[in-house]
Amino acid sequence: MAVAIREYLRGYLGRVRSGELGTLPIILGLVVISIVFQNLNQNFLTAQNLANLLVQGSGVAVIAMGVVFVLILGEIDLSVGYVSGVGAAILALTVTGQHPWPWELSVLAAVAACALIGALQGTIVALMRIPSFVVTLAGLLGWNGVVLLLVADRGTIPIDNPVIVGVANSLLTPDQGWLVLIVGVALYVSFLMGQYIVRRRRHLSVDPLPLLAFRAVLVAGLGAVVVYVCNENRGLLVPIQGVPVITVLIVIMLVILTVLAGRTKFGRHVYAVGGNAEAARRAGINVAGVRIAVFTIASTMAALGGIVLASRLRSVDTGVGGGNILLYSIASAVIGGTSLFGGRGKVVHALLGATVIQAIDNGMGLLSLSAGAKFAVTGLVLFLAAAVDALSRRGRTAAGIG
Amino acid sequence: MSQTPQTTPPLLELRKVSKSFGAVQALKDVDFVAPAGTVTALVGDNGAGKSTLIKCIGGIHPFDHGQILFEGKEVAIHSPKDAAHLGIEIVYQDLALCDNLDSVQNMFLGREIRNWLRLLDETPMEIAAGQTLRDLNVTTLKSLRMPVASLSGGQRQSVAVAKAVLWKSKLAILDEPTAALGVAQTAQVLALVRRLAESGLGVILISHNLNDVFAVADRISVLHLGRMAADVATADVDSQEVVELITTGRYRRQPAHAVREET
């Protein structure tokens, strides 16, 4: 067993040396950020603030999950910010007013409209071969205009539909929180074990058991900390406790998109096109179709993120989808470890990156630093992440891997 | 040297095929034969029409005139899919693999196995890929699950070639498989080419390197300015004569068609 672990560590070190860093640096980064902010302000690691952090970062995290697919393809989508605004505006306009639609229909309309936007932009990129940078830059301007046209004469549209507001504002009861965690961990462990047993039986290489145990304990432990902290009473006048519902929704999206990227034919083809589009084409892959689908996914996730953001603010105004949403979404994916050069990245990177950005934003807010300082530091972190990506790529080239 | 018995038709036979691009006649009345179980080298100077011939066989552009016979039956190849359907697999020089995917993923790219949930079923893919590589005696791969970017040039070429075997191709066309390789790796890939033919595939080897050609090929077809200058058994010529054929399209001892009848 010790031999197996040593073998694994050697393989891991080899991968690090050749530029496959995995999620380790980002997790270490989060730990460092937490320690620094906790030392500067004792409120950082309180139950209230951590629960806040989970909700604050959720909209951007959802959008960033879609961005990861675009980056894996080696493209960029600058329109996701205002596309999320279009989605939120459509939702707000239809779910309120004198004849409000049922919330399901509103959500469907918002998501479908944004999916169409994505399909349109993807088709232009894939078939006309106009660089995605330009197409989605045009999208950024154009959809900003559409948001203004949709919302303009209303100023601010308050959302009062309880389900929509509940997306980002409701909590599980403490017992529900533990139940969800136990079910989730049980599913994860049975997945790990199932895979281990199947591969072992067919005499294929397997990760050593202690490593699997370590992963399971890590996930269960992290989950337990989140549930425990969220279940602390953080209300001043009335008790407020429980895991935010949006956190569970995000984990569900993470699982679905991770399966899509890693375990489906489509996901495999996205990586292939991002790695070498010509080889993918010669392997019989419909490259244009893959590109269109990926831009559709990005816009669809943008719509869902827009709904989360609107739900959190309980309203939509003319600025919806603007501000730092786009930059934070792309930065989240990159800081989390998704390569800007295409071909490499995981959906979980979006979540990790969004957590880092939100931790910086939140921690500097607690220190009452200005927005300017926040942006400067976030920019620096983004630069570091991009530099790590570029350097690790050079490491691979130097290792004769290119 | 192995030779298909005259009773069975050759795996691939081209009869008087021509191809022009606008005013440029890339191929003119070319006859070409690639029997099963044989390595047929296709040589010629730059611009002689090797790539055009390969692309036409692979369905990237169709021939203007002429007949294609596959296993004795006349066929039409209009797209890469048609070629793949017949069992023709082309291994391109640089464009064969996705660097970010591992060996198994590359070998099954576009033809992934899925389980009842329509999710990728990695286990049978990994077993089949591993088996194919072992059958071909490719034993230098440390892990099937490392991105092919981390493999040596020879290993990458082996994975690309193994793909043709995995998919039970009947005809493998290898475009300059040793162009970027060192001495040891070249030997490794040439041995692999030999094993492909011995396992019954027809192999067309395109190469600039006459050492490679003489090391593995059973027959040599020489293209010169879009015409087939000669089709000879490797044993009947030396490299000096082949160089002469490549550069001048002529051959000092006998005219090409005479050599062909003699073998």
Side-chain angles (χ1 to χ4, degrees):
Chain A
M1 204 54 99
V3 176
I5 293 176
R6 208 174 307 140
E7 277 296 305
Y8 179 83
L9 284 179
R10 192 172 303 147
Y12 178 76
L13 282 178
R15 283 202 295 279
V16 169
R17 228 170 283 137
S18 64
E20 295 282 334
L21 297 169
T23 48
L24 196 62
I26 190 79
I27 289 171
L28 290 178
L30 262 177
V31 171
V32 171
I33 288 169
S34 306
I35 293 171
V36 169
F37 281 127
Q38 179 64 10
N39 273 324
L40 293 172
N41 185 322
Q42 301 298 317
N43 284 328
F44 186 73
L45 290 180
T46 57
Q48 185 185 5
N49 195 46
L50 288 178
N52 259 343
L53 216 155
L54 285 180
V55 178
Q56 281 168 350
S58 52
V60 163
V62 171
I63 300 174
M65 284 195 248
V67 171
V68 166
F69 281 86
V70 180
L71 292 183
I72 293 173
L73 203 60
E75 306 276 355
I76 189 84
D77 190 340
L78 300 177
S79 72
V80 285
Y82 284 113
V83 169
S84 84
V86 171
I90 291 174
L91 174 84
L93 287 170
T94 55
V95 87
T96 58
Q98 287 184 332
H99 306 287
W101 296 11
W103 67 269
E104 297 94 331
L105 199 59
S106 282
V107 168
L108 192 69
V111 170
C114 291
L116 266 177
I117 290 173
L120 174 69
Q121 294 181 158
T123 305
I124 295 171
V125 170
L127 298 184
M128 296 174 69
R129 294 310 289 138
I130 301 174
S132 55
F133 180 88
V134 178
V135 173
T136 60
L137 186 63
L140 184 155
L141 290 167
W143 305 121
N144 185 9
V146 169
V147 165
L148 289 174
L149 291 173
L150 284 175
V151 183
D153 56 332
R154 306 277 303 270
T156 300
I157 309 166
I159 299 173
D160 48 14
N161 182 296
V163 177
I164 299 298
V165 171
V167 168
N169 292 299
S170 61
L171 305 170
L172 299 178
T173 66
D175 289 342
Q176 285 172 340
W178 288 117
L179 185 68
V180 168
L181 176 70
I182 291 167
V183 171
V185 170
L187 286 174
Y188 180 64
V189 169
S190 51
F191 166 75
L192 283 182
M193 283 315 294
Q195 200 171 15
Y196 179 84
I197 291 168
V198 166
R199 291 182 61 89
R200 191 62 188 268
R201 197 181 299 148
R202 311 290 285 271
H203 304 288
L204 297 173
S205 66
V206 286
D207 289 341
L209 268 182
L211 182 82
L212 295 184
F214 174 73
R215 275 186 201 146
V217 168
L218 193 74
V219 167
L222 253 171
V225 168
V226 169
V227 174
Y228 179 79
V229 170
C230 289
N231 282 350
E232 292 281 287
N233 183 5
R234 53 185 181 271
L236 294 172
L237 301 171
V238 285
I240 300 174
Q241 54 182 164
V243 176
V245 168
I246 185 64
T247 305
V248 180
L249 292 179
I250 285 184
V251 172
I252 293 172
M253 287 187 225
L254 169 71
V255 171
I256 292 173
L257 291 180
T258 300
V259 168
L260 179 67
R263 310 279 295 190
T264 66
K265 201 165 174 162
F266 168 74
R268 179 65 43 84
H269 293 177
V270 173
Y271 282 96
V273 173
N276 186 340
E278 186 56 25
R281 192 178 69 81
R282 295 193 184 188
I285 292 172
N286 177 356
V287 175
V290 168
R291 287 204 173 104
I292 293 169
V294 164
F295 279 92
T296 307
I297 288 172
S299 290
T300 304
M301 292 311 291
L304 294 175
I307 293 170
V308 172
L309 289 165
S311 161
R312 187 167 156 262
L313 295 174
R314 299 167 197 253
S315 68
V316 163
D317 60 27
T318 46
V320 65
N324 50 27
I325 291 174
L326 164 70
L327 300 179
Y328 274 11
S329 308
I330 294 176
S332 293
V334 175
I335 289 174
T338 296
S339 173
L340 284 166
F341 301 103
R344 284 182 309 130
K346 287 187 175 143
V347 181
V348 72
H349 291 160
L351 225 51
L352 292 167
T355 312
V356 168
I357 287 183
Q358 205 53 54
I360 294 171
D361 191 301
N362 174 303
M364 294 185 70
L366 288 180
L367 298 173
S368 354
L369 292 169
S370 66
K374 275 186 205 170
F375 286 166
V377 170
T378 311
L380 193 66
V381 173
L382 173 60
F383 166 74
L384 282 177
V388 167
D389 179 28
L391 286 178
S392 76
R393 191 179 154 83
R394 214 168 66 179
R396 286 195 300 281
T397 319
I401 301 170
Chain B
M1 290 290 150
S2 53
Q3 193 91 55
T4 325
Q6 293 304 312
T7 49
T8 56
L11 182 61
L12 176 79
E13 185 175 358
L14 305 179
R15 287 187 191 156
K16 300 231 172 293
V17 294
S18 301
K19 174 76 192 171
S20 38
F21 298 99
V24 181
Q25 181 108 39
L27 296 171
K28 183 152 177 57
D29 293 337
V30 169
D31 291 328
F32 178 71
V33 176
T38 307
V39 179
T40 308
L42 183 60
V43 299
D45 213 343
N46 292 337
K50 304 188 297 280
S51 299
T52 306
L53 187 66
I54 293 316
K55 282 180 181 158
C56 290
I57 296 172
I60 291 177
H61 21 251
F63 290 117
D64 296 337
H65 307 286
Q67 276 184 302
I68 309 173
L69 283 85
F70 198 78
E71 294 179 311
K73 287 188 285 287
E74 183 165 1
V75 293
I77 302 175
H78 295 296
S79 71
K81 276 219 169 82
D82 290 346
H85 197 73
L86 288 171
I88 300 173
E89 186 90 19
I90 305 185
V91 179
Y92 294 98
Q93 189 179 342
D94 300 319
L95 298 165
L97 302 175
C98 292
D99 277 350
N100 57 331
L101 301 184
D102 65 36
S103 305
V104 181
Q105 292 170 343
N106 265 300
M107 286 169 69
F108 277 88
L109 192 60
R111 289 177 272 205
E112 293 85 357
I113 298 177
R114 288 183 291 182
N115 63 18
W116 56 278
L117 281 171
R118 299 183 54 81
L119 297 179
L120 296 178
D121 201 352
E122 297 289 344
T123 315
M125 289 197 268
E126 189 167 337
I127 291 170
Q131 189 59 49
T132 305
L133 286 166
R134 268 194 303 280
D135 291 348
L136 289 170
N137 247 331
V138 179
T139 50
T140 56
L141 287 182
K142 274 197 287 302
S143 166
L144 290 171
R145 286 301 183 185
M146 290 288 275
V148 295
S150 64
L151 303 181
S152 72
Q155 289 169 331
R156 292 157 58 90
Q157 206 52 263
S158 302
V159 170
V161 171
K163 189 175 178 181
V165 178
L166 177 68
W167 291 105
K168 308 227 178 326
S169 304
K170 294 169 183 161
L171 178 65
I173 302 175
L174 311 177
D175 185 10
E176 297 276 2
T178 60
L181 304 184
V183 175
Q185 291 178 357
T186 297
Q188 181 188 333
V189 170
L190 291 180
L192 184 59
V193 170
R194 202 56 250 169
R195 276 195 295 278
L196 275 188
E198 275 155 16
S199 70
L201 273 77
V203 179
I204 301 176
L205 173 75
I206 298 163
S207 184
H208 268 107
N209 186 325
L210 289 185
N211 288 332
D212 291 0
V213 168
F214 276 89
V216 292
D218 301 303
R219 306 189 57 81
I220 303 176
S221 294
V222 186
L223 273 173
H224 182 256
L225 300 179
R227 293 172 186 271
M228 193 56 80
D231 173 14
V232 294
T234 312
D236 296 341
V237 286
D238 60 32
S239 70
Q240 195 54 48
E241 288 161 340
V242 174
V243 168
E244 209 174 312
L245 277 166
I246 290 173
T247 49
T248 65
R250 286 175 215 290
Y251 180 40
R252 82 185 112 89
R253 287 198 304 214
Q254 296 145 302
H257 64 268
V259 178
R260 183 168 174 189
E261 280 155 16
E262 192 182 286
T263 52

